[in-house]
């Protein structure tokens, strides 16, 4: 083998290794980009319509790229505990304009928009607008009505419109009876812990996105704790009627035969009675902070 051949081979190896190192470095840089850096970047074009015209037949591919950026933006913001999600709507606007049939962008995008901080942007009106856009572009997709009902129920507290959304969705062929049941239940009761639990359970069981499932699971734990606390307060009231004094601990209720054992929250911590004799989540329970926020 000639010297020139050897040098050429070595050069090729070193060049390939260099490209590999640069590639790994670029991947690491991309992974470590903060949400603040993303926010400082202007969107390539602020006009979704212009961007769609420029994309030509590649518009669906561009939409997938922008949807990936939505998820990245939301995830990085969430990790950084940064509640400023101002770019969320412009990114979703571009994504769904480029591809009006990208179902995932409407469904999960509306969740990111509607959920209250720190989990989401706290902008349910934008979530409603996004879902209504999805309904126009995909009139046969009944799950948008379910998502719309969830936004009206959980975030806008408009129980009439929530019931109407579930009812409208239930009219589609092949939809599960769950929608009609929820429509009737909300119309009759408005908000209730049982209804909230059923809705979150359905979201948890049907969501494919792990972020949405985790969010639903957190809500389920909180609602379950609230239901337990409600029952404990009912028993404490019964104890007070019988003994003419307020219980000072959960053990008082157990000693009186009102409880078979010490009840615990979904994280395994025992419930306690506060200074006012009302049931509370244990101070050391991971649920307590979120529970206190929900009570404000």
């Amino acid at each position: 083998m000639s010297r020139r051949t050897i040098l050429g081979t070595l050069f090729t190896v070193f060049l390939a290794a260099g490209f590999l190192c640069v590639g790994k470095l670029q991947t690491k840089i991309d992974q470590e980009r903060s949400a603040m850096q993303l926010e400082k970047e202007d969107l390539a074009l602020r006009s979704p319509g212009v961007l769609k015209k420029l994309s030509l037949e590649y518009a669906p591919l561009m939409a997938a790229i922008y949807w990936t950026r939505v998820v990245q933006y939301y995830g990085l913001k969430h990790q950084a505990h940064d509640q400023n999600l101002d770019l969320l709507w412009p990114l979703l606007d571009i994504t769904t304009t480029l591809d009006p049939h990208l179902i995932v962008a409407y469904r999960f995008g509306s969740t990111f928009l509607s959920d209250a901080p720190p989990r989401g942007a706290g902008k349910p009106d934008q979530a409603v607008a996004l879902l209504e856009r999805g309904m126009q572009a995909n009139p046969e997709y009944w799950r948008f009505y379910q998502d719309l009902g969830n936004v009206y129920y959980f975030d806008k507290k408009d129980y009439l419109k929530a019931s109407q959304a579930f009812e409208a969705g239930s009219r589609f062929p092949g939809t599960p009876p769950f929608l009609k049941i929820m429509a009737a239940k909300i119309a009759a009761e408005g908000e209730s812990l049982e209804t909230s639990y059923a809705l979150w359970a359905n979201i948890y069981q049907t969501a494919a996105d792990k972020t949405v499932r985790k969010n639903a699971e957190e809500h389920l734990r909180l609602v379950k704790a609230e239901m337990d606390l409600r029952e404990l307060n009912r028993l404490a009231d019964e104890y007070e009627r019988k003994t003419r004094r307020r219980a000072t601990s959960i053990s008082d209720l157990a000693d009186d035969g009102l409880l078979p054992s010490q009840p615990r929250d979904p994280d395994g911590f025992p419930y306690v009675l506060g200074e006012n004799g009302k049931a509370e989540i244990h101070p050391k329970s991971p649920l307590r902070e979120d529970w206190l926020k929900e009570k404000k």
Side-chain angles (χ1 to χ4, degrees), residues 86-287:
D86 288 347
L87 277 186
L88 194 54
W89 171 255
L91 286 168
L92 287 166
D93 186 20
I94 289 176
T95 301
T96 53
T97 299
L98 286 168
D99 185 356
H101 306 298
L102 189 59
I103 301 296
V104 65
Y106 297 108
R107 298 206 68 198
F108 298 145
S110 64
T111 299
F112 298 160
L113 284 169
S114 66
D115 215 0
R119 295 186 183 92
K123 297 180 178 179
D125 288 338
Q126 290 182 352
V128 169
L130 184 67
L131 288 169
E132 289 178 343
R133 177 187 295 188
M135 291 173 183
Q136 280 191 327
N138 308 273
E140 302 302 317
Y141 192 75
W142 63 265
R143 286 195 180 276
F144 285 148
Y145 292 87
Q146 179 183 8
D147 297 333
L148 185 62
N150 289 336
V151 172
Y152 276 123
Y153 180 86
F154 289 118
D155 304 303
K156 292 181 69 66
K157 310 296 183 185
D158 189 330
Y159 306 118
L160 175 60
K161 287 188 177 180
S163 177
Q164 290 172 343
F166 284 119
E167 172 62 28
S170 72
R171 297 177 194 151
F172 283 70
T175 54
F178 175 83
L179 290 181
K180 188 170 284 292
I181 292 171
M182 286 297 102
K185 192 172 181 61
I186 295 171
E189 301 176 4
E191 183 180 26
S192 73
L193 291 175
E194 289 77 12
T195 301
S196 297
Y197 191 88
L199 289 173
W200 282 121
N202 184 262
I203 293 171
Y204 178 79
Q205 292 162 5
T206 59
D209 183 85
K210 63 180 181 180
T211 302
V212 175
R213 282 175 61 86
K214 185 177 184 332
N215 184 25
E217 183 181 18
E218 291 173 357
H219 278 99
L220 280 171
R221 289 161 59 232
L222 278 173
V223 175
K224 176 62 168 63
E226 283 286 1
M227 294 167 70
D228 291 343
L229 294 175
R230 181 186 61 185
E231 177 62 13
L232 287 172
N233 285 327
R234 186 189 69 78
L235 295 175
D237 291 341
E238 183 178 340
Y239 178 89
E240 187 173 12
R241 285 193 297 270
K242 289 173 60 178
T243 64
R244 297 179 182 269
R245 68 181 183 86
R246 193 71 181 176
T248 58
S249 68
I250 297 294
S251 61
D252 289 341
L253 305 181
D255 292 343
D256 196 58
L258 295 172
L259 283 173
S261 61
Q262 169 70 61
R264 296 177 178 272
D265 71 22
D267 284 342
F269 287 80
Y271 294 109
V272 297
L273 293 185
E275 294 181 358
N276 59 358
K278 295 292 185 181
E280 296 181 357
I281 291 178
H282 196 283
K284 292 185 179 180
S285 173
L287 282 173

Side-chain angles (χ1 to χ4, degrees), residues 1-14:
M1 182 180 293
S2 68
R3 182 177 179 184
R4 177 176 295 182
T5 302
I6 294 173
L7 289 176
T9 302
L10 289 174
F11 178 76
T12 302
V13 171
F14 286 133

Side-chain angles (χ1 to χ4, degrees), residues 37-48:
Q37 287 174 311
L38 277 176
E39 190 167 13
K40 289 177 181 177
E41 296 175 0
D42 288 330
L43 298 177
L45 285 171
R46 290 286 179 175
S47 172

